[in-house]
Amino acid sequence: MSNLNIGIILGSTRQGRVCPQVGEWVKGVADKRGDANYQIVDIAEYKLPMFGEVDATEQATAWNTKLASLDGFVFIVAEYNHSITASLKNALDFARDAWNNKAAGIVSYGSVGGARAAEHLRGILGELSVADVRVHPALSLFTDFENGSVFKPADLHLTNVNGMLDQVLAWSGALKTLRQ
């Protein structure tokens, strides 16, 4: 089987966001493995308006085309008010079939490691027929970020990131057979 294509989805679009730092770190860890094609997918670049407010055919087509080209996902998820960001929920809603029968890992961050956002995301992914994997790197705003803005992960997170990627690849490969 050819290498799988895994999108590392940046789940925040706000000014000053730290998810690009986390996403680049995950991509760096993933690229060293050499077992798949990993790419950053920044939802901010798709400029999706709020779902249903205006005609967004062009943006939705580009977004769905990108998602369709991927075999699995790693979501970089910030916790906002005990849930995922509005921009991530909006991006999830702009696609349906492009998510189906794929696997996803979650890397979250927040005051309690983003655990509540990850749990909300798991419910949404289930509705979109995305198989989320068990291993979940949870990053603390207090210990993994300097001054809440400079990402400096503890080495212990490498084990969880690699374990999550192992599961994402296994499930993505298995689910790819359903889509062929």
Side-chain angles (χ1 to χ4, degrees):
M1 183 185 295
S2 64
N3 271 359
L4 296 168
N5 296 310
I6 306 298
I8 300 169
I9 299 184
L10 304 184
S12 176
T13 59
R14 73 171 176 83
Q15 290 291 92
R17 62 193 174 141
V18 296
C19 68
Q21 294 176 62
V22 179
E24 288 295 337
W25 173 71
V26 170
K27 185 176 185 314
V29 172
D31 284 345
K32 287 179 185 171
R33 297 164 52 101
D35 54 5
N37 303 316
Y38 297 95
Q39 59 187 279
I40 299 287
V41 180
D42 189 349
I43 61 176
E45 293 177 5
Y46 291 85
K47 301 195 183 328
L48 297 166
M50 290 306 293
F51 188 74
E53 284 190 353
V54 297
D55 178 28
T57 303
E58 185 178 333
Q59 297 98 317
T61 299
W63 178 238
N64 278 269
T65 299
K66 171 48 77 181
L67 296 176
S69 74
L70 300 169
D71 298 304
F73 313 99
V74 173
F75 288 90
I76 309 301
V77 182
E79 184 171 313
Y80 284 50
N81 298 322
H82 291 218
S83 190
I84 63 173
T85 64
S87 56
L88 177 55
K89 178 61 168 91
N90 191 54
L92 290 162
D93 289 345
F94 259 101
R96 184 75 177 160
D97 294 339
W99 296 116
N100 295 171
N101 295 318
K102 296 182 182 178
I106 299 169
V107 176
S108 64
Y109 60 92
S111 60
V112 290
R116 298 168 295 207
E119 288 307 307
H120 279 193
L121 180 57
R122 288 180 194 285
I124 296 164
L125 293 176
E127 186 62 25
L128 295 171
S129 297
V130 176
D132 60 284
V133 303
R134 183 184 154 282
V135 177
H136 164 212
L139 307 166
S140 171
L141 284 177
F142 303 113
T143 59
D144 295 307
F145 293 85
E146 188 175 280
N147 298 321
S149 62
V150 178
F151 184 49
K152 294 190 175 185
D155 289 340
L156 64 92
H157 295 301
L158 290 174
T159 300
N160 280 341
V161 170
N162 279 300
M164 177 212 45
L165 292 171
D166 289 343
Q167 291 180 345
V168 168
L169 292 180
W171 280 92
S172 293
L175 289 169
K176 187 171 185 172
T177 62
L178 294 175
R179 298 189 317 276
Q180 294 176 339

